[in-house]
Amino acid sequence: GGIGWYRRSFIINEEAGRKQTYIEFDGVYRNSEVWINGHYLGKRPYGYSSFRYNITPFLYYGDINNTISVRVDNSEQPNSRWYSGSGIYRHVWLVTTDDIAVDHWGTFVTTPEITHEKAVVKVNTTIRKSRSGPASIKVVTSLLDERDRCQARSIIRDVDLSDTVTSIAQELTVVNPLLWSDTNPYLYNIVTEIFEDGNIKDRYETTVGLRWFVFDSGKGFLLNGEPVKIKGVCNHHDLGALGAAVNTRAIERQLGILKEMGCNGLRTSHNPPAPELLDLCDRMGFIVMDEAFDMWHKGKTEYDYSLDFDQWHRRDLQDMILRDRNHPSVFIWSIGNEILEQWDSTGFSYARELAGIVRETDSTRPVTCACNDPVPTNFIIRSGALDLIGYNYHHTDFSAFPVTFPGASFIASETTSALATRGCYDMPSDSMRKWPYRWDALFTEGNDDYSCSSYDNCSAPWGSSHEDTWRVIKANDFMSGMYIWTGFDYLGEPTPYSWPARSSYFGLIDLAGFPKDAYYMYQSEWTDKPVLHLFPHWNWKAGEVIDVWAYTNCDEVELFLNGRSLGSHSRAMADFHLMWRVPFESGTICAVGKRKGIEVLRHEVNSAGNPAGIRLIPDRQTINAGGDDLSFVKVEIIDDKGNIVPYSDNLVTFSVEGDGAIAALDNGSQVSMEPFRGDSRKAFNGLCLVILKAGDESGMIKLKASSPGLEDAYTIIKIRK
């Protein structure tokens, strides 16, 4: 919170005086005001919008310093329901163009005709002329494949630039196009070149994917003619221990962990995302619901965007659509999340206005709103503005959708809200806990350690278990798919507990990036690779009856305790987990997964002894110099046989040799009060995390981990320029 000031001085050479210079902000939280050399450029209240200013008229050229000043006011709190961060948390760019150039977000690529055999690609280009007088130009637009081979080209000569802004349309035809999909996210590059008198004035690139899709009321979501179930998650924008500041590698790691689970969708809850996120979704194959607002005129916290909505919603929504409409990963525009005007007649007119703004700017994608009151009397739904009816929760009402909304198309915009703490288990596992008991009541019960069970037997009162929700979505073709709340734990909203809990319990993956057990339920359902995940840990009291679960896509699983068979369970269509009740005895439980009677997988869990050592597992052994690239090092507390000690909370101290540093530390605990920055961290249920960043030089980083009574551990990270 508070008020922050930024200043940056720079010099521009004389040659740039014949060009146009802009300052572009990808996002500033919030109420940013910008000056250049004392000249006021403007204000943007919304903390998630990208925007730019033309600073050309106010610049000094030569050896005189220019100074950009930015004031950020995030002092009025609360203004968000989650951790927003403060200040300039996304990238800032100084952009120079010629006096004739493609305008800001100046291309719009559509595919009015597309099949597997041929794609007609329409490119609308907006060109800005910043000098006076007429001009005549040639525009060459080329479509290049991933090997930079030209697949199509269009040339328009003698384009008259009498006006400041001129729009032109070109068509390109691609034979046998390689289509973008969630499993094969093939990308083309459209290059627009502007020539005047034979001299190039601008070269502008637009990354695109060629695909077509339909949200059908009966068949669900069809991508390139094939039925595809959207298996998505919602995510807030923070990156755990790294906070809200954007880091491309950290986002890529999150998306990679989700892809490994079988996830193919992402909802940018509840605001426009960083551009880097959508670039990665394009490349990695995610079906994105791009969301604009968490509130409209009616606020949810005292000082939130509702105070600015009336004045700014048109500009902010237009800017989001203009910025993001060429991303092939963006399939759905969401105009709001759980908007309070659902119950107010103003929701009717606001929904129509917002959907109209979207369609003015892009009519190629459906409009939805994430409704937590998905009934025909909902004023937003009654408006007729939505192409997709977005359901938040209400999973028991999903099946009745064709009757409730005849002829309409369905998307589960937010589901589940199951709660879990990694490595914690409450039995009996088949007894459901609804925590808190009411959404608006302080929760004072639960577990003394502020944990929630990882058996998929704990959820918020408005939510449901992972299994119950997926069972409905899986069984109905008309259900286009789901976005689970949430993929990752996030900072803020520590449901069901209040302070000292300080981050959410909703994630399939904890704040440090370690999967919880339910992650493997989805992996067994959403991937074709063999999956067998056995849990819980095997350190209990003698004779205690333990619920042993297995998530698998094998035909059957046989469980062994210290070599003795405890029987086999087969996996029926509706069974998402297998369970045995086992009196504990120290040793080894082993699950053997079979397909057609043949063993394909086994998973052993051993009783661990006392902590004896530390194991370091980097996600990448080589990273790039420059300070932006990261290596995420998993830290395991192990016994003398190499087993992770499940209850261990040893304090581990880290040191770094070489041109690198510790960017952050974490352990995934929702109640840890240790700072994210430092040189030591307690393990939580046997694990913690070190995030290393490289310096500017090539070489090596040597990470040492030590803890009293444990053997030291080392790992080497190579740095390349």
Side-chain angles (χ1 to χ4, degrees), residues 435-444 461-462 496-498:
W435 292 353
Y437 304 125
R438 289 203 338 258
W439 72 270
D440 58 346
L442 181 66
F443 185 61
T444 57
W462 57 85
Y497 302 105
S498 58

Side-chain angles (χ1 to χ4, degrees), residues 545-593:
V545 177
I546 306 304
D547 291 354
V548 176
W549 283 32
Y551 289 130
T552 188
N553 50 18
C554 297
D555 299 334
E556 63 173 323
V557 175
E558 186 172 7
L559 186 69
F560 295 85
L561 173 59
N562 294 327
R564 305 189 310 272
S565 176
L566 301 181
S568 296
H569 291 334
S570 63
R571 187 176 184 273
M573 282 298 292
D575 291 333
F576 298 126
H577 75 269
L578 308 177
M579 188 183 82
W580 297 257
R581 286 205 159 105
V582 182
F584 175 74
E585 64 179 60
S586 183
T588 300
I589 52 170
C590 176
V592 177

Side-chain angles (χ1 to χ4, degrees), residues 398-409:
F398 288 179
S399 297
F401 179 84
V403 175
T404 308
F405 297 103
S409 297

Side-chain angles (χ1 to χ4, degrees), residues 91-300:
H91 291 308
V92 186
W93 309 94
L94 194 69
V95 177
T96 301
T97 72
D98 218 318
D99 54 13
I100 297 174
V102 175
D103 204 5
H104 192 214
W105 305 322
T107 57
F108 182 29
V109 181
T110 57
T111 49
E113 299 176 40
I114 182 167
T115 65
H116 289 281
E117 291 75 35
K118 185 180 81 168
V120 175
V121 181
K122 185 176 180 181
V123 184
N124 284 295
T125 304
T126 303
I127 300 167
R128 179 170 292 274
K129 176 172 63 73
S130 55
R131 68 172 194 242
S132 60
S136 179
I137 61 169
K138 178 176 74 172
V139 180
V140 180
T141 297
S142 307
L143 187 141
L144 310 180
D145 65 16
E146 288 188 345
R147 295 171 62 183
D148 287 334
R149 298 175 302 189
C150 184
Q151 299 299 309
R153 177 170 287 152
S154 171
I155 302 174
I156 299 182
R157 294 176 172 83
D158 302 323
V159 177
D160 178 32
L161 300 184
S162 300
D163 298 325
T164 301
V165 176
T166 303
S167 294
I168 64 167
Q170 293 171 281
E171 281 194 356
L172 308 167
T173 300
V174 185
V175 178
N176 297 323
L178 293 167
L179 300 180
W180 188 100
S181 70
D182 58 319
T183 56
N184 182 34
Y186 190 89
L187 297 175
Y188 289 91
N189 190 28
I190 288 180
V191 178
T192 302
E193 296 172 301
I194 298 174
F195 295 88
E196 184 183 33
D197 298 329
N199 299 312
I200 190 161
K201 304 291 285 185
D202 196 16
R203 186 180 191 274
Y204 189 93
E205 297 187 10
T206 307
T207 301
V208 297
L210 308 181
R211 80 285 187 276
W212 82 91
F213 65 94
V214 174
F215 285 90
D216 186 85
S217 61
K219 298 177 182 177
F221 178 65
L222 297 132
L223 178 58
N224 302 325
E226 299 295 326
V228 173
K229 192 75 81 173
I230 298 174
K231 298 167 285 192
V233 300
C234 307
N235 261 5
H236 278 312
H237 71 177
D238 78 67
L239 298 168
L242 295 168
V246 70
N247 180 281
T248 302
R249 171 56 200 154
I251 300 171
E252 182 183 46
R253 174 187 180 244
Q254 285 195 342
L255 294 177
I257 294 168
L258 290 170
K259 265 291 176 180
E260 188 68 17
M261 185 180 76
C263 175
N264 70 356
L266 190 76
R267 174 178 175 229
T268 69
S269 46
H270 301 295
N271 44 261
E276 291 79 8
L277 174 74
L278 295 182
D279 291 340
L280 287 165
C281 287
D282 291 345
R283 181 159 57 85
M284 299 174 73
F286 284 86
I287 297 164
V288 174
M289 179 187 293
D290 203 349
E291 194 155 78
F293 306 118
D294 187 44
M295 72 291 294
W296 296 347
H297 181 75
K298 290 191 171 185
K300 297 179 180 178

Side-chain angles (χ1 to χ4, degrees), residues 418-452:
L419 307 168
T421 301
R422 175 184 50 80
C424 295
Y425 305 94
D426 294 340
M427 289 173 263
S429 62
D430 52 3
S431 174
M432 195 69 187
R433 293 143 181 85
K434 289 289 188 180
W435 292 353
Y437 304 125
R438 289 203 338 258
W439 72 270
D440 58 346
L442 181 66
F443 185 61
T444 57
E445 300 181 36
N447 296 326
D448 292 341
D449 62 355
Y450 292 84
S451 67
C452 292

